[in-house]
Each structure stands twice: as C-alpha cells, then as structure tokens.
Amino acid sequence: MSGLNCYVVSYDIREQKRLSRVHRAMKGFGEPVHYSVFRCILTPKGRVEMVSVLTDLIKPDEDRIMIIDLGPNEGRVEERIEFLGVHDIKEERKIIIE
C-alpha cells in the first residue's frame, strides 16, 4: 500500500481576495475539477499540511471547506468519481505531497 489517499476538496469563500488565495494554495495540493473543487492525492502528512495552510487562509466564521476522503488512491477511486456533461479529459498530473 502506498499510503496515498484521494480527497475531494470543495470550498465556499465569501471574499474574493481570500477565494483567490485558497485557489492558488489548492493548486499546490491537487488538480482542479471545477473552480472551487479539487481532487488531491495526499499522504497523511500532506493532508495535515493542506488543512494547516487552508486554516490559515480562511475566516472560519464566514468561509467553509469540505474535505471528502475517497480512500486509498490504489484501486477504484476513478470509479467513484462521475461527471455529467462537459468534462475536459486531460493527461493528469500526479501531485503527491509527502
């Protein structure tokens, strides 16, 4: 087992400047699926780092971030993600935070 889990991270940020900062930070942890939704492949340490960075960027009384753990990256993660409508099929970059 590689110790990597797949996470879906979604956020609602009230203020544009914070929104831009969160979006830029998330690009360091995963691939954007939609503007405010990212798919991240992270080690446990990488997840802790991501949560720490995001916690420092948001106002918890105004903003909200949701992190969904899809489980180990090995196996059937791709089968758990479904798109309806237009979806760009790109060659995926593998971003791993250790």
Side-chain angles (χ1 to χ4, degrees), residues 2 7 15 22 25 36 39 49 62-63 86 91 94 96:
S2 68
Y7 300 92
E15 194 264 326
V22 168
S36 62
R39 182 176 144 212
E49 181 181 337
E62 295 180 22
D63 304 327
V86 178
E91 184 176 335
K94 298 292 180 188
I96 299 170

Side-chain angles (χ1 to χ4, degrees), residues 7 29 42-55:
Y7 300 92
F29 293 102
L42 302 170
T43 63
K45 182 179 175 184
R47 184 190 181 285
V48 168
E49 181 181 337
M50 178 184 72
V51 168
S52 176
V53 167
L54 294 174
T55 300

Side-chain angles (χ1 to χ4, degrees), residues 6 39 41 70 72-83 87 92 94:
C6 182
R39 182 176 144 212
I41 309 298
L70 293 178
N73 190 47
E74 307 164 341
R76 300 172 41 165
V77 168
E78 292 302 324
E79 295 173 17
R80 293 184 218 144
I81 301 173
E82 179 179 358
F83 290 92
H87 173 64
E92 292 186 14
K94 298 292 180 188

Side-chain angles (χ1 to χ4, degrees), residues 4-89:
L4 297 172
N5 274 22
C6 182
Y7 300 92
V8 174
V9 181
S10 174
Y11 49 86
D12 290 319
I13 308 298
R14 298 260 179 178
E15 194 264 326
Q16 184 62 42
K17 189 181 261 187
R18 284 195 314 274
L19 175 64
S20 295
R21 288 178 183 150
V22 168
H23 186 77
R24 276 193 306 273
M26 285 304 303
K27 285 182 176 181
F29 293 102
E31 288 291 317
V33 179
H34 297 289
Y35 185 75
S36 62
V37 180
F38 278 73
R39 182 176 144 212
C40 307
I41 309 298
L42 302 170
T43 63
K45 182 179 175 184
R47 184 190 181 285
V48 168
E49 181 181 337
M50 178 184 72
V51 168
S52 176
V53 167
L54 294 174
T55 300
D56 289 344
L57 291 175
I58 68 168
K59 286 191 174 180
D61 57 334
E62 295 180 22
D63 304 327
R64 177 171 54 180
I65 297 176
M66 178 175 63
I67 301 171
I68 301 170
D69 185 348
L70 293 178
N73 190 47
E74 307 164 341
R76 300 172 41 165
V77 168
E78 292 302 324
E79 295 173 17
R80 293 184 218 144
I81 301 173
E82 179 179 358
F83 290 92
L84 303 175
V86 178
H87 173 64
D88 290 336
I89 300 173

